[in-house]
């Protein structure tokens, strides 16, 4: 895949927003404002780690005679540059999802396999946070989709569940079929989300608590990615939450059912 410059990403994301503009004039104005806010937000979010990196790089140079300081500044330099790289990667993922192009790598995906892989990816994080991951029975359900994107979405939901829950609680992942929709839910017993914030958490860069999100290395883009992955698969992302009790985030995707083999009505050749 071609690497994209940050400017190209911003441009394509802005264009994406214009493409979805509705006929209604107020909606168009609202989208314009969303787009302006978004560009301002990205600039701000990028400036913070970039400024920190340049200050730390100077500090390392100035502290050349003091190995302990060099060590300390270098560690922070690595931390800030990792943050920046996560942020840029998430912006690129989001811009791809918002582009007009259809998802490129569609295949039949087993829900059980995506769940198992997302659990494996979150296991270390959960263990260090003292949180138990609980998986439901296998279902054999299938969806047609972009496997890496689905995995990213589910991993985002699971790492949020871990980040916003206290130690000693559990996070459970379940999968059920509702009519023709495969519902994958991630339930935590964490801090929960107030009703007025529940829809806003899917907006880019919206965080209920800036400080807490930053402390966990959050970019504020995780749920925006989840929402777009769901939409690009013809599905949706939903949240149910009660402050103090916990949250359930659900990824709803159209079920894929292989067509039954067609019995041939043509007589075999040669008769
Ligand atoms: P972040 O990188 O900040 O976690 P997200 O887009 O993933 O960004 O989430 C947006 C915000 O929604 C978070 O900052 C947090 O306030 C809230 N949030 C997300 N998941 C949960 C959860 N499972 N429990 C409580 N709050 C959550």
């Amino acid at each position: 895949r071609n690497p994209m410059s940050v400017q190209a990403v911003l441009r394509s994301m802005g264009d994406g927003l214009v493409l979805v503009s509705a006929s209604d004039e107020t909606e168009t104005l609202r989208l314009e404002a969303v787009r302006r806010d978004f560009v301002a937000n990205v600039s701000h979010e990028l400036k913070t780690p970039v400024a920190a990196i340049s200050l730390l790089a100077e500090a390392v140079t100035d502290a050349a005679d003091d190995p302990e300081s060099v060590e300390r500044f270098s560690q922070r330099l690595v931390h800030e540059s990792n943050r920046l790289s996560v942020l840029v990667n998430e912006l690129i993922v989001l811009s791809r999802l918002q582009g007009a192009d259809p998802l490129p790598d569609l295949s039949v995906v087993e829900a059980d396999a995506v769940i198992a892989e997302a659990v494996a990816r979150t296991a270390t994080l959960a263990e260090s946070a003292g949180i138990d991951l609980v998986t439901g029975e296998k279902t054999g359900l299938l969806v047609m989709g972009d496997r890496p994107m689905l995995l990213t979405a589910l991993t985002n939901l699971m790492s949020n569940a871990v980040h916003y829950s206290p130690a000693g609680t559990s996070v459970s992942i379940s999968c059920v079929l509702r009519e023709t929709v495969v519902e994958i839910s991630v339930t935590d017993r964490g801090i929960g989300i107030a009703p007025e914030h529940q829809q806003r958490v899917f907006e880019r860069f919206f965080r209920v608590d800036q400080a807490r999100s930053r402390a966990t290395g959050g970019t504020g883009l995780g749920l925006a990615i989840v929402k777009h992955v769901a939409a690009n698969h013809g599905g949706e992302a939903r949240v149910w939450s009660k402050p103090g009790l916990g949250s359930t985030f659900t990824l709803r995707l159209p079920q894929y059912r292989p067509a039954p083999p067609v019995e041939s009505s043509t007589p075999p050749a040669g008769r």
Side-chain angles (χ1 to χ4, degrees):
R1 296 192 168 165
N2 295 335
M4 285 172 98
S5 73
V6 170
Q7 264 157 353
V9 170
L10 283 179
R11 216 178 309 120
S12 71
M13 296 183 91
D15 292 348
L17 276 172
V18 172
L19 274 181
V20 294
S21 90
S23 51
D24 182 357
E25 201 179 328
T26 20
E27 183 60 5
T28 313
L29 286 175
R30 192 185 69 81
L31 288 172
E32 253 312 304
V34 169
R35 176 177 143 147
R36 268 199 310 274
D37 279 359
F38 172 69
V39 173
N41 279 337
V42 173
S43 313
H44 174 78
E45 299 283 338
L46 288 173
K47 261 188 206 158
T48 315
V50 168
I53 287 169
S54 91
L55 281 175
L56 286 164
E58 265 179 48
V60 171
T61 319
D62 292 347
D65 299 338
D66 175 2
E68 252 177 51
S69 303
V70 169
E71 167 83 20
R72 193 158 40 88
F73 292 140
S74 305
Q75 276 171 1
R76 288 182 49 199
L77 202 48
V78 170
H79 175 79
E80 290 295 337
S81 51
N82 284 343
R83 248 187 91 77
L84 186 60
S85 124
V86 170
L87 178 60
V88 170
N89 282 334
E90 293 207 333
L91 282 169
I92 291 171
V93 169
L94 204 49
S95 98
R96 255 195 219 124
L97 287 169
Q98 291 188 179
D101 298 341
L103 291 173
D105 304 315
L106 288 186
S107 61
V108 177
V109 179
E110 290 175 30
D112 298 327
V114 180
I115 292 172
E117 199 165 337
V119 168
R121 283 195 184 184
T122 330
T124 312
L125 180 73
E127 200 181 21
S128 61
I131 284 170
D132 229 16
L133 296 183
V134 183
T135 326
E137 299 275 299
K138 287 194 173 176
T139 61
L141 292 169
L142 303 174
V143 297
M144 177 62 79
D146 180 320
R147 196 174 194 278
M149 287 289 180
L150 290 171
L151 187 56
T152 299
L154 197 54
T155 309
N156 286 356
L157 292 181
M158 301 212 17
S159 55
N160 276 352
V162 170
H163 280 141
Y164 299 103
S165 296
T169 59
S170 64
V171 165
S172 52
I173 308 99
S174 66
C175 181
V176 291
L177 180 67
R178 286 205 200 286
E179 296 182 357
T180 56
V181 178
V182 176
E183 279 194 1
I184 305 176
S185 297
V186 177
T187 299
D188 65 58
R189 313 261 177 273
I191 60 174
I193 304 165
E196 67 272 26
H197 293 142
Q198 287 176 14
Q199 283 318 307
R200 298 208 62 196
V201 293
F202 293 102
E203 291 172 15
R204 294 166 301 189
F205 296 123
F206 178 85
R207 294 142 166 145
V208 174
D209 177 346
Q210 290 282 348
R212 181 168 183 146
S213 162
R214 276 177 205 282
T216 60
T219 59
L221 294 176
L223 289 177
I225 290 175
V226 172
K227 181 178 91 173
H228 280 96
V229 168
N232 283 6
H233 283 81
E236 57 174 347
R238 285 188 185 170
V239 59
W240 175 94
S241 186
K242 277 251 185 302
L245 280 185
S247 313
T248 295
F249 281 86
T250 304
L251 200 54
R252 305 184 81 242
L253 304 164
Q255 182 193 18
Y256 172 76
R257 278 199 295 189
V262 183
E263 276 180 36
S264 168
S265 55
T266 336
R271 286 205 191 165

